[in-house]
Amino acid sequence: DVVIYEEVAAYENAASDTMPMGMDAQYVTRKVEYREVQRIHLCPAEAKYGCQIQKGAWHTVEVIEPSVIFEAKDGCAKRNVEC
């Protein structure tokens, strides 16, 4: 399975209400979580051999054995750089 995620950022104020005015901005923390937005089940028996993932998308592959995984990125061979 290929799982696609979106990044969800939240900001929390860790300061108490007793801080002087203007001082609480330094106590703001950024909390990042990842929410699953799509799951693609690859299955050779169903002729589902691969998928295309948008550039910059957070993703993971959950491997079900036996498996062969091949990942390619646009432009790597054209520019002769290691990706």
Side-chain angles (χ1 to χ4, degrees), residues 1-2 40-51 61 64 68:
D1 287 356
V2 177
I40 304 162
H41 181 69
L42 304 178
C43 178
E46 299 172 9
K48 296 179 183 177
Y49 300 105
C51 65
V61 177
I64 303 168
V68 174

Side-chain angles (χ1 to χ4, degrees), residues 11-51:
Y11 297 89
E12 297 177 347
N13 187 347
S16 66
D17 293 334
T18 61
M19 292 299 295
M21 184 178 233
M23 293 291 291
D24 53 40
Q26 64 185 331
Y27 297 102
V28 174
T29 58
R30 184 173 188 255
K31 181 180 176 186
V32 178
E33 294 180 353
Y34 300 94
R35 180 181 320 145
E36 181 178 325
V37 293
Q38 185 179 11
R39 181 175 290 261
I40 304 162
H41 181 69
L42 304 178
C43 178
E46 299 172 9
K48 296 179 183 177
Y49 300 105
C51 65

Side-chain angles (χ1 to χ4, degrees), residues 43-71:
C43 178
E46 299 172 9
K48 296 179 183 177
Y49 300 105
C51 65
Q52 188 168 4
I53 301 168
Q54 288 184 341
K55 182 178 180 178
W58 291 100
H59 63 282
T60 190
V61 177
E62 295 178 356
V63 178
I64 303 168
E65 293 188 36
S67 293
V68 174
I69 298 174
F70 173 76
E71 181 175 345

